[in-house]
């Protein structure tokens, strides 16, 4: 510890602290622009100059290490004069266009010029003009003359996002922040640069000129977009969501959110919102009052149940539904004598059902990710599936020198140096993980688990095993694609084996916002699971928040089953074109901003939230719709007054973290799948197609990540098929097909074609990781 | 000619025009003897450093920091690579000595670097050469090839077990890349921008490894110091100002060029060696140590001797030893305008006071020069320089400010005249008469 005195106050601070660290610890404010606690020290703005005893010149607090007994003065003449001098320099070339600046009211430069700026400018020369740049749909760089060259945006790219989308070109006062020629700024974390920019140089393009910051109310919420559960500030004006910002929570999202979380709100205000209950009669859609709609649904479901038995019904909910919604949905179905309830539309392999010891989860706290020494992630499109988990792992590698290895299906750039990587066909995932298990067993000299005798071990597998053995804190994770794979249970068992041999922690990178919560809410089949309910078509379906043609493992099969059903009830926030064909009733449900509810994130953290705006039109929170339905059906136990009552009943009083989290598996024997034959499909779920809101957010849909799917293949595969990049091809699975452009992607394993899921152009296809044929169209 | 004049030359002694740069010539002059001796006799590293300390060699790159002391900052027992880096970026206006060193005596630099590497336990070296003197870069590469072939650099030098790889690296003509940490960034392939210090290069230098950076002339002096002994080198000059030094004299003298003279030689003598003032005109002012050092009036300068202490006492700096001589035909406002333009242009733009301040200074001086000065401009200029100085990441901010302060301090009447009368105090015809360029042009 070091002793320091700032403005007469004494304190002890840890070794290695800077004067800025010490000041923050002591609650002393030192003005600053370039300093940011999550970024490296640049010391370029010079706003934080302070006086240090015995130093002839003022020193930058952010970059000056504390020495024992140091005395610092932040308000002495020398310090204040220096700060005012810097402030003047920052303002001389600034356009001073605050009245038309979106940053107005929340601008650090504006705030600080009140404290340190002069009343009038001594600068009478021509001001600098910096040309605007078009950097894509998310970030507006229209007024770059406002930039103060703090390089926060540049450092964010280099250090946090892992990709340098912005840099500072030129020198002297012609320095300007810009992209590489012609590139856009829309990697999955880019929007954070808007928050980091202390001035109005980088602003939100969708939000631009729609409101002044002081007109907005700040409401807390939780992200429904992935399993991290980022904490959000939703900003509201006149009962409308205008903007979404991160709410800092070091344990969860730190101070970041993904672009999807930031911009998906656009969908909430779109004209695609479903705002009235609708019923299809005689092929005609009619808007009806709620009581009519619910009577219709209640009767319909009850009739099917009475006539064909509860097994003729099925309910499928999105894993991003709230805990309360999921619980009440399964309760309603149980009340109708139906156990065919699931929340895992993309899953194919359900053999672990009934064999899991507890609720699958990350296996550790999110914050622990940063301190890992070694990690192996299996079957994940890591950056796009889990932008902020990827970010934490990136920090583990960057700052802690962790060894991160991947077994994946496409060698996408994860923007982090990898220790080892094996990119394989979907049918090879289990074999490949088995090779690592075998290598680990051999290196540790422990008995080889039965069933792995014939597995081939390669160098990369050895390197993975070694890093997991050597590290002190280490983990093995299964990503979305692993959980969606046909070998999900085998991968689960292998992961546990590997963890056991190496002493690593085993966990799941949860697929969706409430993957953990759904298990706790018993949204699990006692009858047919998400696959079986379409494999063996039912008479009646209740769909909540899912869009089967985008969200199901085999959309072809799901749509066929829905088409033949007597009754399909869809709870949806959006009027959904394809649903007009297969559904019979559309119930306008409130999205997360319009309902209270609870998500349990992948680390088991329970996060409840309240609605931030009133539901649009006649939309209603789904938990209330289900409650009324329960009552209309005269079912027991639907007398809840609040969503909190539902939650407390499900979670039994657990408050911060859920109980019963356990990745253990009982009674599964290792039985590696045979190698696949013929061409295999690799289907990623592109980040901005992954949920109904993102699909309808115009800005997100204009990013590079939202480009229409192509048939992506390695050069060898293209050659083998006699194709060239750009050729139009017809891909086929089962009855369905799609016409796509062939594209060269050396990251795709040989013999595979990558065709994204969750897009209208590929909705007629079958299984995400199934056999597929490709021919010239 | 390698050098236009000299008194007791050391660095440039025995050089015969452009033909004596090769290895055989250098060896004939006694070159590489010290390297051989040190390696053969396994002279302790401390002893080499002690000898350099005894010579009171001060860094020739501008700051005049004692070289021996700098070398002793390098961590002794560091696991892994350490670097020595030679700074031949030489972008300071007025300075043109290092390029002649590289051109006429490159092996002295190579030997000096090899000895430095030995003394500090460095295994790799780079010479960063100004990008606009391409022939010098090629010359140095040629010398490196010779030295490598002869086994003076590379693996297991002369069978001693000591290895030192040395490479040349050329810049692209940014002045800021001469600042030692910007230079390191540039070698690393990044934009040449100074780093905040601490940490200093001795602990976190090239690629994050301990690094010592010295000027070309500093390194070139090393073999000679060791050969004659630190004390003898010191005695060539005067106490605290050891040895001889190269001075690049430019401006209104009859024979501008490089001169090697002992530290402490009177300026008047140097001026004489340069053939005196051009056209017999009166000496008006001298910038004694490169464009970043404060200007001194001619009469003050005539009382100075050419060494760190004397020039510093007079209120300026010996800097890199670039002596810019101005005669009475010079308009000081025009001169300052040109200097200020240079610093405005060359600021790397990283830190606020320098980026904004150099631009402000230039624009105001430019306005004054063009008859648009205002009465309070001089106070404004002085206030802006105060706000820059001592508040920037690197010394360029100070370098840009000192000319402004000193020009106004010593030649205030010329600035006042410009502001009040919208024209030069020095009549235009006098200026033209003094301008070689104008004569050619008209
Ligand atoms: C803006 C700026 C430019 C500089 N340019 C040079 C240069 O061209 N050559 C040089 O040797 N030193 C230059 N320096 C000084 C170097 O930073 C460094 O002090 C020097 O190379 C150290 O060598 P020395 O101790 O042998 O003098 C420059 C410094 C600044 C601030
Ligand atoms: S754009 Fe914003 S964040 Fe980036 S350097 Fe300029 S002021 Fe800083
Ligand atoms: S003082 Fe000037 S040149 Fe030096 S770092 Fe700052 S902006 Fe760059
Ligand atoms: S905050 Fe310290 S220099 Fe910018």
């Amino acid at each position: 510890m070091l002793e320091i005195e700032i403005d007469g106050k004494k304190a002890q601070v840890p070794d290695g602290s800077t004067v800025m660290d010490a000041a923050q610890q002591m609650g002393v404010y030192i003005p600053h622009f370039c300093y940011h606690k999550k970024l490296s020290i640049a010391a370029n703005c010079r706003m934080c100059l302070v006086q240090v005893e015995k130093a002839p010149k003022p020193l930058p607090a952010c970059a000056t290490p504390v020495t024992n007994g140091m005395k610092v003065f932040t308000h002495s003449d020398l310090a204040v004069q220096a700060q005012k001098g810097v402030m003047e320099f920052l303002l001389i070339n600034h356009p001073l266009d605050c009245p038309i600046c979106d940053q107005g009211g929340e601008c650090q430069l504006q705030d600080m010029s009140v404290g340190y700026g002069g009343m009038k400018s001594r600068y009478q020369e021509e001001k600098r003009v910096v040309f605007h740049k078009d950097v894509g749909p998310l970030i507006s760089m229209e007024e770059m003359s406002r930039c103060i060259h703090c390089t926060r945006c540049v450092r964010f790219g280099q250090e946090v996002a892992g990709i340098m989308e912005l840099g500072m070109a030129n020198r002297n006062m012609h320095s300007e922040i810009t992209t590489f020629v012609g590139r856009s700024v829309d990697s999955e974390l880019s929007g954070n640069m808007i928050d980091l920019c202390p001035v109005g140089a980088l602003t939100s393009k969708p939000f631009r000129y729609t409101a002044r910051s002081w007109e907005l109310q700040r409401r807390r919420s939780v992200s429904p977009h992935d399993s991290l559960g980022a904490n959000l500030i939703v900003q509201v004006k006149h009962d409308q969501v205008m903007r979404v910002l991160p709410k800092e929570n070091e344990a969860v999202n730190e101070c970041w959110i993904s672009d999807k979380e930031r911009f998906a709100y656009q969908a909430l205000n779109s004209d695609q919102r479903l705002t009235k209950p609708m019923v299809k009669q005689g092929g005609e859609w009619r808007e009806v009052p709620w009581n009519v709609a619910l009577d219709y649904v209640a009767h319909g479901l009850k009739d099917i149940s009475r006539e064909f038995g509860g097994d003729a019904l099925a309910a499928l909910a999105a894993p991003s539904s709230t805990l309360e919604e999921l619980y009440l949905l399964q309760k309603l179905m149980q009340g109708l004598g139906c156990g065919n309830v699931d929340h895992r539309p993309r899953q194919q392999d359900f053999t672990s059902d009934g064999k899991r010891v507890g609720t699958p989860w990350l296996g550790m706290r999110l914050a622990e990710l940063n301190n890992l020494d070694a990690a192996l992630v299996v079957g994940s499109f890591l950056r796009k599936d889990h932008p902020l988990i990827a970010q934490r792992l990136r920090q583990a590698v960057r700052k802690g020198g962790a060894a991160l290895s991947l077994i994946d299906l496409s060698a996408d750039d994860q923007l982090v140096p990898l220790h080892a990587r094996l990119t394989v066909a979907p049918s090879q995932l289990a074999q490949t993980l088995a090779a690592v298990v075998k290598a680990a067993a051999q290196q540790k000299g422990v008995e080889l688990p039965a069933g792995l005798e014939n597995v081939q071990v390669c160098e990369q597998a050895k390197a993975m095993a070694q890093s997991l053995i050597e590290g002190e804190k280490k983990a093995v994770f299964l990503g979305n694609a692993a959980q969606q794979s046909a070998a999900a249970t085998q991968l689960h068992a292998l992961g546990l084996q590997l963890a056991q041999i190496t002493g690593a922690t085993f966990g799941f990178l949860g697929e969706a916002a409430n993957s953990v919560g759904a298990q706790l809410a018993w949204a699990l089949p006692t009858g047919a699971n998400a696959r079986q309910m379409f494999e063996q078509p039912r008479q009646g379906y209740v769909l909540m928040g899912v869009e089967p043609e985008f969200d199901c493992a085999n959309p072809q099969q799901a749509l066929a089953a829905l088409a033949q059903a007597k009754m399909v009830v869809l709870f949806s926030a959006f009027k959904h074109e394809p649903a007009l064909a297969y559904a019979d009733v559309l119930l306008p449900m409130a999205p997360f901003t319009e309902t209270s509810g609870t998500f349990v994130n992948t680390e088991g953290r329970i996060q409840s939230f309240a609605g931030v705006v009133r539901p649009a039109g006649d939309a209603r929170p789904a938990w209330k719709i289900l409650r009324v339905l329960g009552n209309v059906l005269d079912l027991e136990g639907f007398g809840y007054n609040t969503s909190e009552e539902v939650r407390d009943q499900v979670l039994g009083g657990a408050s911060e973290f859920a109980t019963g989290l356990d990745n253990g598996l009982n009674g599964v024997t290792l039985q590696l799948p045979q190698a696949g034959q013929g061409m295999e499909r690799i289907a990623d779920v592109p980040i901005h197609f992954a949920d109904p809101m993102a699909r309808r957010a115009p800005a997100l849909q204009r990013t590079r990540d939202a480009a229409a799917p192509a048939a992506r293949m390695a050069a060898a595969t293209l050659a083998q098929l006699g194709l060239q990049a750009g050729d139009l091809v017809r891909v086929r699975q089962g009855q369905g097909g799609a016409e796509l452009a062939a594209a060269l992607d050396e990251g795709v394993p040989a013999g595979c074609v990558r065709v994204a899921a969750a897009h209208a152009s590929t909705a007629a296809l079958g299984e995400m990781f199934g056999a597929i044929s490709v021919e010239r169209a | 000619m390698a050098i236009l004049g000299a008194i007791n030359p050391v660095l440039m002694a025995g050089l015969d025009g452009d033909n004596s740069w090769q290895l055989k010539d250098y060896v004939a002059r006694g070159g590489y003897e010290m390297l051989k001796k040190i390696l053969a006799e396994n002279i302790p590293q401390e002893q080499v450093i002690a000898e350099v300390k005894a010579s009171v060699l001060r860094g020739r790159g501008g700051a005049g920091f004692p070289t021996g002391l700098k070398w002793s900052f390098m961590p002794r027992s560091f696991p892994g690579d350490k670097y020595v880096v030679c700074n031949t970026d030489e972008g300071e206006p007025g300075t043109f000595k290092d390029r002649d060193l590289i051109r006429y005596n490159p092996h002295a630099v190579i030997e000096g670097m090899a000895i430095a590497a030995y003394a500090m336990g460095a295994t790799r070296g780079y010479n960063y050469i100004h990008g606009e003197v391409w022939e010098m870069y090629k010359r140095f590469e040629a010398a490196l090839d010779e030295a490598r072939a002869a086994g003076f650099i590379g693996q297991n030098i002369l069978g001693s077990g000591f290895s030192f790889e040395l490479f040349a690296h050329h810049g692209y003509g940014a002045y800021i890349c001469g600042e030692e940490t910007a230079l390191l960034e540039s070698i690393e392939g990044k934009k040449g921008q100074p780093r905040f210090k601490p940490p200093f290069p001795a602990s976190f230098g090239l690629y994050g490894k301990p690094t010592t950076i010295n000027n070309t002339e500093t390194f070139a002096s090393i073999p000679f110091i060791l050969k004659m002994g630190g004390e003898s080198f010191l005695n060539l000059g005067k106490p605290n100002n050891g040895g001889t030094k190269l001075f690049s004299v430019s401006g209104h003298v009859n024979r501008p060029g490089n001169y090697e003279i002992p530290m402490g030689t009177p300026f008047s003598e140097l001026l004489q060696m340069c053939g005196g003032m051009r056209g017999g005109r009166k000496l008006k002012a001298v910038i004694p140590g490169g464009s970043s050092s404060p200007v001194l009036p001619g009469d003050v300068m005539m009382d100075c001797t050419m060494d760190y202490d004397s020039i510093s006492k007079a209120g300026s700096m010996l800097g890199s030893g670039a002596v810019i001589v101005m005669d009475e035909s010079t308009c000081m406002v025009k001169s300052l305008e040109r200097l200020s333009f240079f610093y405005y242009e060359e600021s790397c733009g990283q830190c606020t006071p320098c980026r904004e301040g150099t631009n402000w200074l230039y624009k105001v001086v430019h306005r004054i020069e063009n008859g648009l000065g205002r009465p309070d401009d001089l106070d404004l200029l002085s206030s802006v320089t105060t706000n820059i100085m001592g508040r920037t990441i690197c010394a360029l901010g100070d370098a840009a400010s000192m000319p402004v302060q000193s020009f106004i301090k010593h030649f205030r009447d010329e600035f006042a005249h410009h502001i009040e009368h919208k024209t030069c105090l020095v009549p235009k015809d006098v200026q033209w008469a003094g301008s070689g360029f104008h004569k050619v042009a008209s």
Side-chain angles (χ1 to χ4, degrees), chain A residues 466-521:
Chain A
Q466 191 176 358
S467 69
L468 290 172
I469 290 169
E470 280 171 4
E472 200 173 303
K473 297 180 206 124
K474 50 246 182 147
V476 178
F477 298 114
L478 296 190
N480 292 1
Q483 296 165 55
Q484 293 156 0
S485 125
T489 307
Q490 286 295 311
L491 289 166
H492 186 169
L494 286 164
L496 285 169
Q497 281 283 3
L498 183 58
Q500 198 223 327
I501 293 170
T502 59
T505 303
F506 172 77
F508 291 91
L509 305 181
E511 189 190 3
N514 214 11
S515 291
V516 172
Q519 302 251 350
L520 300 170

Side-chain angles (χ1 to χ4, degrees), chain B residues 59-65 67 70 87 89-92 98 175-176 178-180 213-216 218 394-396:
Chain B
R60 305 302 198 213
F65 192 83
T67 304
K70 189 188 258 189
N87 189 342
D89 194 49
E90 197 165 51
E92 176 101 345
D98 296 338
Y175 171 56
I176 196 57
E179 196 282 335
E180 53 188 20
I213 301 133
N214 276 121
N215 172 256
T216 322
T218 312
C394 82
L396 190 139

Side-chain angles (χ1 to χ4, degrees), chain A residues 41-46 49 57-58 60 63-65 78 81-86 88-90 92-93 122-128 147-149 168-175, chain B residues 173-175 191 193 196 198 343-360 363-364 367 374 377 379-380 383-384 386-393 398:
Chain A
I41 303 289
N44 58 28
C45 77
R46 316 307 278 182
L49 291 171
K57 304 188 271 189
T64 304
L78 184 77
Q81 209 192 22
Q83 291 156 3
K84 288 193 163 164
V86 171
E88 178 179 41
F89 283 136
L90 284 172
I92 59 174
N93 271 305
R122 297 194 292 166
Y123 185 77
Q124 308 280 318
E125 322 306 321
E126 244 173 52
K127 290 199 181 206
R128 161 182 56 223
C147 169
I148 60 166
H149 307 86
M168 192 150 88
N170 306 331
R171 64 182 185 210
N172 58 51
M173 76 136 185
H174 296 116
S175 303
Chain B
Y175 171 56
K191 187 175 175 184
Q193 283 188 335
F196 179 78
Y343 289 106
Y344 146 70
E345 180 66 30
E346 296 294 336
S347 161
C348 84
Q350 186 181 191
C351 62
T352 308
C354 170
R355 178 186 63 244
E356 304 294 333
T358 52
N359 151 58
W360 198 352
K363 282 188 175 153
V364 173
R367 223 173 5 79
R374 306 194 185 103
D377 275 348
D379 291 343
L380 178 66
S383 150
V384 171
T386 331
N387 283 344
I388 299 173
M389 285 187 73
R391 298 178 188 173
T392 52
I393 290 181
D398 288 9

Side-chain angles (χ1 to χ4, degrees), chain A residues 144 146-153 177 196-199 201-202:
Chain A
M144 290 311 289
R146 295 175 186 152
C147 169
I148 60 166
H149 307 86
C150 70
T151 68
R152 278 183 175 191
C153 54
I177 296 293
L196 285 173
C197 181
V199 297
L202 309 181

